[in-house]
Amino acid sequence: MADVYKLLTDIICKSIDYEWEKAVVEIESSPKRMFSTNACCYLKNGAKKAFELLDENSDEDLGEKVFELQESMYPNHKWNKAVYTLEKSGHFDMTFEWNQALQDEWDNA
């Protein structure tokens, strides 16, 4: 689902107002129940810096796009953790994993 990748790229580029080389967004999501992100970027000197994703000016909701992506991949590829990596050159990658302990924690909350 290309929409979530483009949306993440747009949000990252709007959120960082200084020179960066690579941005990483960690996503935890339980479809339609739980969604959280943690974002950081790496500067030219290799330093790591946290930043906040500024998506309030977006016409699309990132959480909803992530839920849509999860639904489109289910049941062949179930996941609740993802890492989106964007390089300044525009190259990106997104990896997905299932963490049962995290899901158990959410189910028992």
Side-chain angles (χ1 to χ4, degrees), residues 6-99:
K6 180 177 180 342
L7 182 58
L8 274 164
T9 298
D10 291 347
I11 292 171
I12 289 168
C13 291
K14 289 178 188 175
S15 300
I16 304 174
D17 63 353
Y18 44 85
E19 287 298 315
W20 56 278
E21 292 296 311
K22 179 172 73 171
V24 178
V25 178
E26 297 173 346
I27 299 169
E28 292 183 346
S29 179
S30 179
K32 302 291 184 186
R33 254 182 82 195
M34 171 75 174
F35 170 75
S36 67
T37 59
N38 185 23
C40 70
C41 65
Y42 294 87
L43 310 178
K44 282 188 177 191
N45 66 3
K48 181 179 177 181
K49 184 174 182 177
F51 69 95
E52 184 178 339
L53 291 176
L54 304 174
D55 64 346
E56 65 270 0
N57 295 327
S58 176
D59 293 335
E60 301 178 89
D61 182 68
L62 181 58
E64 286 301 315
K65 290 295 178 188
V66 167
F67 294 151
E68 288 174 14
L69 179 63
Q70 282 179 301
E71 288 175 8
S72 73
M73 296 172 77
Y74 187 84
N76 297 329
H77 191 72
K78 184 170 77 167
W79 60 273
N80 57 10
K81 292 185 83 167
V83 177
Y84 180 81
T85 304
L86 175 66
E87 295 176 14
K88 188 68 173 180
S89 67
H91 180 266
F92 69 90
D93 184 46
M94 193 162 186
T95 59
F96 306 93
E97 73 175 72
W98 179 258
N99 182 317

